[in-house]
Amino acid sequence: MTLQLGSHPGLPLELEREIFECAASAHGNAISLILVLVAHRVRVWIEPFLYTYVQFRRGSWHRIDSFIYTLHSRRPTLSNIEKEEPTFFSRHVKSLLMPSVFVSRTQSLALLQSCTGIENLALWARYTDAQTLAALIELPKLKMLSLLGCMVAPFLAAGGGQTLTHFDVSCYLPTPEECMKLPRVTHLAYTFDSEHWNTASAFTQAIEQILEVMPQLQVLLLIMEGPSPMLTHLATLEDQRVVIMQDVWWPGEWDLLGERGGRNLVIWNKAEDLIQARRATS
């Protein structure tokens, strides 16, 4: 018998859905963009996969406004299952990467207020106003966060960080007092330039104080921007949780997280592997 165009394939609906979702999960957006064209019911199943990971790459900032337009004017075309449109993005967007200081405050706020189910967030902007900080702090499922230095102190002072397990900061090392406000953080990364510190000994002392007040910490990743004479001094740190790396390009690591669904950022996996190898030989 010839299957007519548009007819149902005859599989149980649950099995058909599982087949399509497995294909979308295994092959990412490239195949998902094709699958949503198969049939209306398939679009209902697959469209959430398209929004699980949202990244605005360099050179594509114009897409931010397009995405925000979608947030506010999404058409009710999916079915009764997805009829409650305002919750679609809060349910399905899990990772959001904004690697630019050119994301406006209004854009950042719209994204944070709409995608409230975010678990992984890189907000590389310079907004410390109360509204943005409140939207950031009110993300109930946020586990992994990357911030520019100017946002770190205001974020922690406002009570942020209670749900975090992974925290990455640039150009600002949280004080021991601030670190004590991060009870669940097991992975802390600090990107810095040696010019930020007067002496290597002062920096080493600050690292040792953080390690002391954060016994739950499993990885303290120090990322150096370029070569530095401080590297030799840092090598004297005896705590096995400390990992030193140079010239790490974070967006590339977030790409791998989004496209392949890794258990954590690849850079964290590398650090954990180094610590494990270090302990195995000690």
Side-chain angles (χ1 to χ4, degrees), residues 163-229:
T163 62
L164 297 182
T165 60
H166 294 64
F167 193 26
D168 160 52
V169 299
S170 298
C171 304
Y172 179 86
L173 183 65
T175 65
E177 291 75 20
E178 289 171 332
C179 287
M180 293 174 67
K181 299 177 182 179
L182 301 168
R184 300 183 182 180
V185 169
T186 58
H187 294 63
L188 177 64
Y190 170 53
T191 302
F192 71 101
D193 189 303
S194 59
E195 294 181 358
H196 297 152
W197 295 87
N198 294 328
T199 65
S201 59
F203 181 48
T204 303
Q205 183 179 7
I207 295 300
E208 290 174 339
Q209 289 174 342
I210 288 176
L211 291 167
E212 183 177 352
V213 300
M214 299 184 74
Q216 81 280 10
L217 202 63
Q218 298 174 17
V219 178
L220 177 53
L221 178 58
L222 306 177
I223 303 173
M224 303 178 65
E225 296 181 338
S228 170

Side-chain angles (χ1 to χ4, degrees), residues 33-232:
L33 288 169
I34 298 174
L35 294 178
V36 294
L37 303 176
V38 171
H40 178 75
R41 65 182 180 280
V42 178
R43 180 184 173 186
V44 173
W45 301 333
I46 301 304
E47 195 167 25
F49 288 86
L50 293 173
Y51 293 101
T52 299
Y53 175 76
V54 177
Q55 175 182 2
F56 300 106
R57 301 171 184 269
R58 181 176 297 177
S60 64
W61 312 128
H62 61 283
R63 297 181 182 176
I64 299 177
D65 285 329
S66 297
F67 183 69
I68 291 174
Y69 177 81
T70 303
L71 293 177
H72 294 304
S73 62
R74 183 177 155 80
R75 295 175 300 153
T77 58
L78 292 181
S79 72
N80 290 334
I81 298 175
E82 300 292 356
K83 194 171 182 179
E84 194 178 354
E85 294 300 323
T87 68
F88 178 85
F89 292 99
S90 66
R91 289 200 309 270
H92 299 303
V93 177
K94 301 302 181 183
S95 295
L96 177 62
L97 173 59
M98 293 183 283
S100 173
V101 295
F102 302 109
V103 179
S104 72
R105 173 188 172 278
T106 302
Q107 291 170 332
S108 299
L109 192 59
L111 291 166
L112 293 174
Q113 291 177 338
S114 298
C115 305
T116 54
I118 294 173
E119 298 175 4
N120 309 323
L121 173 65
L123 179 58
W124 296 336
R126 302 180 184 277
Y127 304 113
T128 57
D129 59 281
Q131 223 177 350
T132 300
L133 290 172
L136 183 58
I137 292 169
E138 290 170 5
L139 297 174
K141 299 180 180 180
L142 188 61
K143 302 298 182 185
M144 304 175 70
L145 176 63
S146 179
L147 291 178
L148 293 181
C150 62
M151 292 191 69
V152 176
F155 170 70
L156 295 176
Q162 297 302 303
T163 62
L164 297 182
T165 60
H166 294 64
F167 193 26
D168 160 52
V169 299
S170 298
C171 304
Y172 179 86
L173 183 65
T175 65
E177 291 75 20
E178 289 171 332
C179 287
M180 293 174 67
K181 299 177 182 179
L182 301 168
R184 300 183 182 180
V185 169
T186 58
H187 294 63
L188 177 64
Y190 170 53
T191 302
F192 71 101
D193 189 303
S194 59
E195 294 181 358
H196 297 152
W197 295 87
N198 294 328
T199 65
S201 59
F203 181 48
T204 303
Q205 183 179 7
I207 295 300
E208 290 174 339
Q209 289 174 342
I210 288 176
L211 291 167
E212 183 177 352
V213 300
M214 299 184 74
Q216 81 280 10
L217 202 63
Q218 298 174 17
V219 178
L220 177 53
L221 178 58
L222 306 177
I223 303 173
M224 303 178 65
E225 296 181 338
S228 170
M230 194 177 290
L231 183 61
T232 302

Side-chain angles (χ1 to χ4, degrees), residues 1-20 38-42 45:
M1 182 179 71
T2 303
L3 185 65
Q4 298 296 318
L5 184 64
S7 63
H8 195 278
L11 293 174
L13 201 60
E14 295 79 6
L15 178 58
E16 184 186 359
R17 177 170 185 167
E18 185 174 351
I19 291 172
F20 279 107
V38 171
H40 178 75
R41 65 182 180 280
V42 178
W45 301 333

